[in-house]
C-alpha cells in the first residue's frame, strides 16, 4: 500500500510528551516525502472532519510543552457503528491513507476498529497511567511521577514540621503504577494500589506504630485513586491513631507540565518509528518500548496482552519503608 498522506491525532487523557510525539511524526513524515494532516480532538475530529495541515514549522516550539496542540477528547459516538462509518468516510474524504493515533488503551481499541475497516493505523502509547500491556513505557508517565514526587517532597516538609500524616491521592483508576513509582521515589510509608488488596491494620496502623516506636512522627501514605475513598482512609487514620491527618488529592496537576527529557526522547523515538512503519506500507501496529528498544506488534496481538503489576518493586517499597 502506498501511503502519501498520514493523519495524526491525540485521544483520551492528555499526557506530557504528546507534543514531542506529534513533532516527531510530522518531521519524519515530511522527510519521507509524505504529507501530514492533524486531526483535532481525537476521534471527534475524524467524525467532524476537523483537520489542519501540518508543516515543518507547525510543530516548532512544542517539544517542551505539556498538553497537546491537536487537542484531545473522549468521543462515545465513535464507538457506535454509525460514528465509526463516518470516521472511515471522512478519512477517505480528507485523503488520509494511514493514521497515527496517540492515546491510551481505549484509543488503541479505536485504532483497531479503524484498521479493521481499512484505515491502516499505528498506535503510540500516550497516557500518564502506564497501563498499556504492549509496552513498558507510556508517554506522560515519567513526567507525572516526577510531578508527584515534587509535590510530595513539599508535603513532607509540612508533615514533618507538624508531626502529621499526609495521605496523597494520585491518579490511576485501574492501575497503580503512578502510586507505586512515585511512592517509592518519595519514600512513602505505605503505597496502596488497586492491584493489591490491603489490610488497614497491617499495612497502615501497624506500620505507623512501628515508625512511632523508632522515633519518627510524620508519615506519607500514597494511594491510587482506584483504591477507593481516600477521605475515609484519612479520617480513619486520624480516628485510630490520634495523629492529625490531612488528605491531598493531586488531581489533574499530574497531567500537566513540561515533559521530562526522557519523555521527549522516547516520544521522539516512538513517533519516528510509527511513520517509518507507515512509509513502508505497514499499518495495524502498536508501537512501544521494551528493554529500552522500540518494538511493534500487530494491533490485535498488542490488545490481547495482559499488563503485569510490578510486584517486585512493590515488595521492595514495602521492605524499605519502615
Ligand atoms: P484512553 O485512550 O486514554 O484510554 P478512553 O478510554 O477514553 O481513553 O478512549 C479514548 C477514546 O477512544 C474514546 O472516547 C472512544 O472514542 C475510543 N474508544 C475507547 N474504547 C473503545 C472501544 N472499545 N472501541 C472503539 N473505540 C474506543
Ligand atoms: O487515563 C488518564 C487519567 O488521568 C487517569 O489517571 C484518571 O483516572 C483519568 O484520566 C481522569 O480522567 P478525566 O480527565 O476525565 O478527569
Amino acid at each position: 500500500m502506498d501511503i502519501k498522506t498520514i493523519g495524526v491525532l491525540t485521544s483520551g487523557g492528555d499526557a506530557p510528551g504528546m507534543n514531542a510525539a506529534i513533532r516527531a511524526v510530522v518531521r519524519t513524515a515530511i522527510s519521507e516525502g509524505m504529507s501530514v494532516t492533524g486531526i483535532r480532538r481525537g476521534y471527534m475530529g475524524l467524525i467532524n472532519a476537523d483537520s489542519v495541515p501540518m508543516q515543518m514549522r507547525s510543530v516548532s516550539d512544542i517539544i517542551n510543552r505539556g498538553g497537546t496542540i491537536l487537542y484531545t477528547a473522549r468521543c462515545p459516538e465513535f464507538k457506535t457503528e454509525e460514528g465509526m462509518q463516518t470516521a472511515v468516510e471522512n478519512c477517505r474524504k480528507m485523503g488520509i491513507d494511514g493514521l497515527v493515533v496517540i492515546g491510551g488503551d481505549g484509543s488503541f481499541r479505536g485504532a483497531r476498529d479503524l484498521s479493521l475497516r481499512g484505515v491502516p493505523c499505528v498506535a503510540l502509547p500516550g497516557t500518564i497511567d502506564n497501563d498499556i500491556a504492549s509496552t513498558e513505557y507510556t508517554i506522560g508517565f515519567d513526567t507525572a511521577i516526577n510531578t508527584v514526587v515534587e509535590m510530595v517532597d513539599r508535603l513532607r516538609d509540612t508533615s514533618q514540621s507538624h508531626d502529621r500524616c499526609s495521605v496523597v491521592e494520585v491518579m490511576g483508576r485501574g492501575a497503580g503504577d503512578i502510586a507505586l513509582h512515585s511512592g517509592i521515589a518519595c519514600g512513602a510509608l505505605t503505597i496502596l494500589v488497586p492491584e493489591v488488596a490491603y489490610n488497614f491494620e497491617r499495612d497502615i496502623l501497624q506500620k505507623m506504630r512501628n515508625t512511632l516506636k523508632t522515633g519518627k512522627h510524620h508519615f506519607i501514605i500514597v494511594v491510587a485513586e482506584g483504591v477507593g475513598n481516600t477521605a475515609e482512609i484519612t479520617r480513619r487514620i486520624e480516628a485510630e491513631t490520634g495523629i492529625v491527618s490531612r488528605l491531598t488529592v493531586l488531581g489533574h496537576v499530574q497531567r500537566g507540565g513540561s515533559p521530562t527529557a526522557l519523555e521527549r526522547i522516547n516520544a521522539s523515538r516512538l513517533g519516528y518509528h510509527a511513520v517509518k512503519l507507515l512509509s513502508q506500507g505497514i499499518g495495524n501496529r502498536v508501537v512501544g518500548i521494551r528493554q529500552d528498544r522500540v518494538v511493534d506488534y500487530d494491533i490485535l496481538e498488542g490488545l490481547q496482552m495482559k499488563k503485569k503489576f510490578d510486584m517486585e518493586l512493590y515488595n521492595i517499597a514495602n521492605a524499605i519503608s519502615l
Side-chain angles (χ1 to χ4, degrees), residues 38-93:
I39 308 294
R40 284 188 289 222
R41 298 184 176 82
Y43 293 129
M44 194 128 78
L46 282 185
I47 290 177
N48 298 331
D50 181 5
S51 69
V52 53
M54 305 291 283
Q55 321 289 356
M56 208 56 112
R57 294 271 80 82
S58 320
V59 290
S60 292
D61 304 320
I62 64 166
I63 195 159
N64 55 324
R65 282 168 56 190
T68 159
I69 60 162
L70 289 176
Y71 302 85
T72 186
R74 297 204 165 94
C75 177
E77 198 188 334
F78 178 75
K79 291 204 225 174
T80 63
E81 189 50 44
E82 206 187 337
M84 185 71 60
Q85 285 306 334
T86 309
V88 172
E89 275 162 34
N90 282 340
C91 281
R92 306 259 178 272
K93 284 185 194 155

Side-chain angles (χ1 to χ4, degrees), residues 13-14 74 127-129 131 171-173 178 225 252 255:
D14 65 320
R74 297 204 165 94
T127 165
I128 65 163
D129 291 348
D131 60 348
M171 277 188 166
R173 278 189 286 232
I178 295 178
E225 61 177 330
H252 290 79
R255 286 237 297 260

Side-chain angles (χ1 to χ4, degrees), residues 59-286:
V59 290
S60 292
D61 304 320
I62 64 166
I63 195 159
N64 55 324
R65 282 168 56 190
T68 159
I69 60 162
L70 289 176
Y71 302 85
T72 186
R74 297 204 165 94
C75 177
E77 198 188 334
F78 178 75
K79 291 204 225 174
T80 63
E81 189 50 44
E82 206 187 337
M84 185 71 60
Q85 285 306 334
T86 309
V88 172
E89 275 162 34
N90 282 340
C91 281
R92 306 259 178 272
K93 284 185 194 155
M94 292 187 280
I96 289 170
D97 310 310
L99 187 65
V100 178
V101 170
I102 308 166
D105 56 351
S107 306
F108 277 29
R109 290 195 183 88
R112 170 203 59 198
D113 293 352
L114 284 173
S115 294
L116 292 173
R117 285 166 178 79
V119 181
C121 292
V122 177
L124 301 185
T127 165
I128 65 163
D129 291 348
N130 201 36
D131 60 348
I132 298 185
S134 51
T135 181
E136 290 165 1
Y137 162 85
T138 64
I139 296 168
F141 176 67
D142 189 61
T143 307
I145 59 172
N146 277 289
T147 301
V148 175
V149 169
E150 189 190 329
M151 296 299 140
V152 177
D153 286 351
R154 287 166 194 250
L155 288 170
R156 181 184 286 277
D157 292 344
T158 167
S159 261
Q160 185 258 320
S161 304
H162 283 266
D163 295 322
R164 281 177 175 171
C165 173
S166 251
V167 177
V168 188
E169 181 187 303
V170 300
M171 277 188 166
R173 278 189 286 232
D177 276 37
I178 295 178
L180 173 62
H181 289 250
S182 63
I184 196 166
C186 65
L189 179 71
T190 292
I191 300 167
L192 302 183
V193 295
E195 292 89 343
V196 185
Y198 74 98
N199 176 297
F200 198 85
E201 172 62 32
R202 182 197 60 209
D203 299 321
I204 300 180
L205 299 180
Q206 270 179 30
K207 280 189 137 192
M208 288 178 75
R209 284 190 213 109
N210 290 342
T211 305
L212 281 170
K213 272 192 215 139
T214 53
K216 185 173 164 181
H217 304 273
H218 60 280
F219 311 87
I220 307 279
I221 297 181
V222 173
V223 188
E225 61 177 330
V227 167
N229 192 334
T230 44
E232 176 54 22
I233 291 173
T234 311
R235 189 206 59 77
R236 201 170 154 199
I237 291 172
E238 184 163 308
E240 301 207 21
T241 63
I243 290 164
V244 175
S245 303
R246 293 282 188 266
L247 170 65
T248 303
V249 179
L250 289 180
H252 290 79
V253 73
Q254 294 161 93
R255 286 237 297 260
S258 180
T260 61
L262 177 82
E263 219 83 271
R264 301 179 197 193
I265 295 163
N266 282 345
S268 301
R269 294 167 76 195
L270 292 168
Y272 173 85
H273 191 87
V275 174
K276 281 292 192 183
L277 287 173
L278 287 172
S279 71
Q280 296 162 63
I282 302 170
N284 310 355
R285 308 293 287 178
V286 290

